[in-house]
Amino acid sequence: MKKEYIYLKHISKKFNESYVLRDVNATLYEGEILGFLGPSGAGKTTTIKILTGQLEQTSGEANVLGIPCHNIDESIYEQIGIVTDQSGVYERMSIYDNLKYFAKILGVKYSYIDELLKKVGLYEHKKKLAGKLSKGQKQRLILARAILHNPKVLFLDEPTSGLDPTTALEIHKLLLELKENGMSIFLTTHNMEEATKLCDHVALLNEGVIVEYGTPKDICLRYNKERKYKILLENKEEILLIHNDKNIMMLNQWLLNNQVVSIHSCEPTLETVFLEVTGRELQ
């Protein structure tokens, strides 16, 4: 049975008289990626701050690695890594020296730095000053610093926001490798396509409330109220078929006649589910 690395039960957070989180429940298991999805202001960053001991919840129970979040001390940072929009680098130091500085603090062997730089695609730039890096390179350096000590849990707050598609794909690949090696990842994003690709479970968060929770596939199928299929025939004709007996017989005939080039089911995406449940766009 997998270990529970993060546990949220009936978490609420109130600033003044306004709730930014209300009755939030979620679990992150060892070697999984849990996504908190929603637009800006949904409560995603507040959740990370509670889980990392930067804020205390108003009510409910929050644990990381078995430690109540309100009792977290500095020793927890030996077991977790954090990437947020506040994460910075020492711009007057080289890439290598940035990691060397934190390796000394975290007790990591310097010999591991080159290996890690190769993994994040920065080895050839290791002598470059951090202040001279592109946004994508800087984000990879911040991620490298966060995983330098091989933490059990990695917190990522919008890690690919503003990055070009190629750099985002490289980071996705690295995150999946980290997951395969047993690291647990708590990811916040407003990119539903990213979440579908990476996450084992997702929570759709709107105005501090989880409106849906489950695997991306299960959530989408839950809202697949009318089954449809997009068919491309050999004559380049594209047809949208609703699932009924007449159309299935037609499709079978096309298949028997070898006329079908492709078939795609048309279940909703996480983004369309979010729109249906909340009535609002993600951006």
Side-chain angles (χ1 to χ4, degrees):
M1 187 174 179
K2 289 186 176 180
K3 298 176 183 176
E4 289 182 352
Y5 275 2
I6 287 178
Y7 178 70
L8 293 166
K9 186 175 182 181
H10 302 307
I11 290 295
S12 294
K13 178 61 181 177
K14 186 164 64 171
F15 291 111
N16 298 321
E17 296 304 312
S18 299
Y19 280 95
V20 292
L21 291 175
R22 190 188 295 270
D23 198 29
V24 168
N25 297 276
T27 305
L28 171 63
Y29 293 96
E30 178 183 8
E32 291 191 355
I33 300 178
L34 171 63
F36 264 44
L37 284 58
S40 298
K44 305 186 301 292
T45 301
T46 298
T47 304
I48 282 187
K49 287 183 176 181
I50 289 172
L51 287 169
T52 54
Q54 300 173 67
L55 283 176
E56 188 170 346
Q57 67 269 24
T58 302
S59 61
E61 183 182 351
N63 289 279
V64 175
L65 299 171
I67 303 169
C69 292
H70 62 274
N71 285 336
I72 281 177
D73 59 27
E74 289 183 0
S75 64
I76 192 68
Y77 294 104
E78 298 174 3
Q79 301 184 75
I80 67 173
I82 307 172
V83 175
T84 71
D85 59 359
Q86 269 87 45
S87 300
V89 296
Y90 293 109
E91 296 196 344
R92 295 184 181 181
M93 295 169 63
S94 68
I95 289 174
Y96 183 89
D97 286 342
N98 263 272
L99 293 184
K100 184 178 178 181
Y101 177 77
F102 284 95
K104 183 176 182 180
I105 293 172
L106 295 165
V108 176
K109 293 180 179 179
Y110 295 161
S111 58
Y112 176 61
I113 295 175
D114 282 349
E115 180 184 336
L116 181 57
L117 287 173
K118 290 175 184 177
K119 188 177 291 187
V120 299
L122 290 176
Y123 179 74
E124 293 180 358
H125 305 280
K126 69 178 185 177
K127 293 182 180 179
K128 183 185 277 190
L129 292 180
K132 301 289 186 180
L133 301 178
S134 68
K135 184 170 183 179
Q137 289 172 330
K138 191 171 290 187
Q139 190 71 350
R140 278 184 276 170
L141 174 56
I142 291 169
L143 181 57
R145 191 181 71 190
I147 63 174
L148 179 64
H149 55 305
N150 193 31
K152 291 182 178 179
V153 179
L154 178 63
F155 292 94
L156 300 174
D157 194 7
E158 303 276 1
T160 59
S161 179
L163 299 185
D164 65 87
T166 300
T167 302
L169 285 174
E170 289 172 355
I171 288 178
H172 290 168
K173 182 180 177 182
L174 176 59
L175 296 181
L176 290 172
E177 285 178 11
L178 294 171
K179 171 192 160 182
E180 287 299 313
N181 290 328
M183 192 176 294
S184 298
I185 299 172
F186 185 95
L187 169 74
T188 75
T189 182
H190 64 267
N191 185 331
M192 296 290 176
E193 186 179 343
E194 176 175 78
T196 302
K197 177 181 178 180
L198 296 177
C199 297
D200 297 281
H201 292 87
V202 296
L204 302 188
L205 199 64
N206 183 49
E207 296 180 350
V209 177
I210 293 179
V211 293
E212 271 297 348
Y213 187 91
T215 68
K217 182 178 180 180
D218 285 348
I219 291 175
C220 292
L221 290 177
R222 206 176 296 155
Y223 287 81
N224 192 25
K225 296 170 183 175
E226 186 176 36
R227 284 190 286 171
K228 298 177 183 178
Y229 309 97
K230 189 178 290 184
I231 315 296
L232 175 64
L233 298 178
E234 270 201 329
N235 63 3
K236 308 301 181 185
E237 186 179 2
E238 291 187 4
I239 300 171
L240 185 65
L241 288 184
I242 295 173
H243 187 97
N244 58 42
D245 291 344
K246 178 184 176 182
N247 286 339
I248 292 303
M249 288 178 64
M250 190 187 308
L251 176 58
N252 282 336
Q253 194 60 51
W254 288 335
L255 289 168
L256 288 170
N257 293 336
N258 201 29
Q259 292 175 267
V260 176
V261 176
S262 64
I263 303 175
H264 296 283
S265 59
C266 299
E267 64 269 10
T269 64
L270 284 177
E271 187 158 5
T272 55
V273 169
F274 188 87
L275 180 61
E276 180 175 342
V277 174
T278 67
R280 63 183 294 197
E281 300 281 351
L282 278 165
Q283 302 296 339

